[in-house]
Amino acid sequence: MSGWGFMSLSDSLSPSMKFISKTHDFILIVVIMIISLVLYLSYFLLFGSGYSRSVVGSEGLEVFWALVPMCLLASLAVPSLHCLYFSEENFNPLMSIKAVGHQWYWSYEYSDFDSVSFDSYMMSDLNVWDVRLLSVDQSVILPVQESIRAIVSSSDVIHSWALPALGVKVDAVPGRLNQSLVRSEKVGDVFGQCSEICGSLHSFMPICLSFVPKPQFLNWVKIQISC
């Protein structure tokens, strides 16, 4: 979870976000090591007696600071590329949903079911259990522990369908379809927001996905179809 004073990433609810968090932690460790080494060498070059003269023209040192950055860049590139391809891969999704951005709300369609579509607006009259600026009048109901393909587009300007806890951020571009994999390992609500500055009410078009057990999801679909 996140809140004031929280310095880490959001809790990971999907396999892709867990991999992103591990990659982030690894890169952070490498960056701290580099900064510590640079500060250590800078101190002795500036204040070490005779140290700066001893390193001038040192071939071994030149080879060292040429090879070490190459190895560090390679160690950062491999997990980063793995993370990129892992996030983009669709592993045989169970179903598909389509999210269309509008100024300033989202509309959703369940492509695998007839007549299941709705608009999702931010709630202005909140209950005790609602989250300010994130709760919506109609959440997207999805089955937990299932891979869902999210197809994202826009009807007017560029939006961005972003869910940090799932490691998902897809640009919604007019006239174009982008896709991503959505999956949650836990039952509950997952919140997000449009992360593209799309107009004056940009911050008031939240996203809410409610992950429920599969039988409950099927019952919800039957109710929606019969309405």
Side-chain angles (χ1 to χ4, degrees), residues 34-49:
I34 293 173
I35 293 175
S36 300
L37 179 61
V38 170
L39 292 176
Y40 177 80
L41 293 177
S42 299
Y43 174 81
F44 280 98
L45 286 173
L46 292 174
F47 303 106
S49 177

Side-chain angles (χ1 to χ4, degrees), residues 147-214:
S147 298
I148 312 298
R149 176 170 49 216
I151 303 172
V152 183
S153 186
S154 173
S155 65
D156 36 50
V157 299
I158 298 177
H159 300 280
S160 187
W161 199 68
L163 294 155
L166 300 181
V168 174
K169 184 177 182 294
V170 188
D171 288 336
V173 182
R176 180 174 178 177
L177 297 177
N178 293 325
Q179 67 175 1
S180 182
L181 186 70
V182 175
R183 181 186 177 94
S184 177
E185 300 296 325
K186 297 180 180 180
V187 173
D189 294 336
V190 178
F191 296 100
Q193 288 179 302
C194 174
S195 58
E196 187 75 30
I197 301 178
C198 57
S200 59
L201 300 180
H202 140 79
S203 58
F204 299 109
M205 49 185 304
I207 305 162
C208 181
L209 272 57
S210 295
F211 288 91
V212 298
K214 195 171 182 179

Side-chain angles (χ1 to χ4, degrees), residues 61-77:
L61 188 59
E62 291 180 0
V63 172
F64 172 79
W65 64 43
L67 291 179
V68 169
M70 292 173 57
C71 296
L72 289 175
L73 289 175
S75 68
L76 298 180

Side-chain angles (χ1 to χ4, degrees), residues 33-188:
M33 291 173 58
I34 293 173
I35 293 175
S36 300
L37 179 61
V38 170
L39 292 176
Y40 177 80
L41 293 177
S42 299
Y43 174 81
F44 280 98
L45 286 173
L46 292 174
F47 303 106
S49 177
Y51 187 80
S52 59
R53 291 191 297 271
S54 64
V55 299
V56 175
S58 174
E59 295 182 358
L61 188 59
E62 291 180 0
V63 172
F64 172 79
W65 64 43
L67 291 179
V68 169
M70 292 173 57
C71 296
L72 289 175
L73 289 175
S75 68
L76 298 180
V78 172
S80 299
L81 291 175
H82 186 192
C83 184
L84 177 64
Y85 285 105
F86 185 78
S87 300
E88 292 293 330
E89 186 66 29
N90 286 322
F91 299 100
N92 299 321
L94 175 69
M95 52 174 285
S96 299
I97 62 170
K98 184 178 180 180
V100 181
H102 307 269
Q103 289 181 313
W104 286 271
Y105 65 96
W106 295 95
S107 62
Y108 297 95
E109 301 175 9
Y110 287 70
S111 305
D112 300 276
F113 306 98
D114 295 332
S115 304
V116 181
S117 62
F118 53 85
D119 297 331
S120 180
Y121 295 88
M122 185 188 73
M123 292 182 60
S124 56
D125 297 328
L126 300 178
N127 297 311
V128 176
W129 54 84
D130 292 325
V131 182
R132 181 177 178 270
L133 300 181
L134 291 178
S135 293
V136 297
D137 59 350
Q138 178 63 64
S139 302
V140 181
I141 310 298
L142 295 174
V144 71
Q145 295 183 345
E146 297 288 351
S147 298
I148 312 298
R149 176 170 49 216
I151 303 172
V152 183
S153 186
S154 173
S155 65
D156 36 50
V157 299
I158 298 177
H159 300 280
S160 187
W161 199 68
L163 294 155
L166 300 181
V168 174
K169 184 177 182 294
V170 188
D171 288 336
V173 182
R176 180 174 178 177
L177 297 177
N178 293 325
Q179 67 175 1
S180 182
L181 186 70
V182 175
R183 181 186 177 94
S184 177
E185 300 296 325
K186 297 180 180 180
V187 173

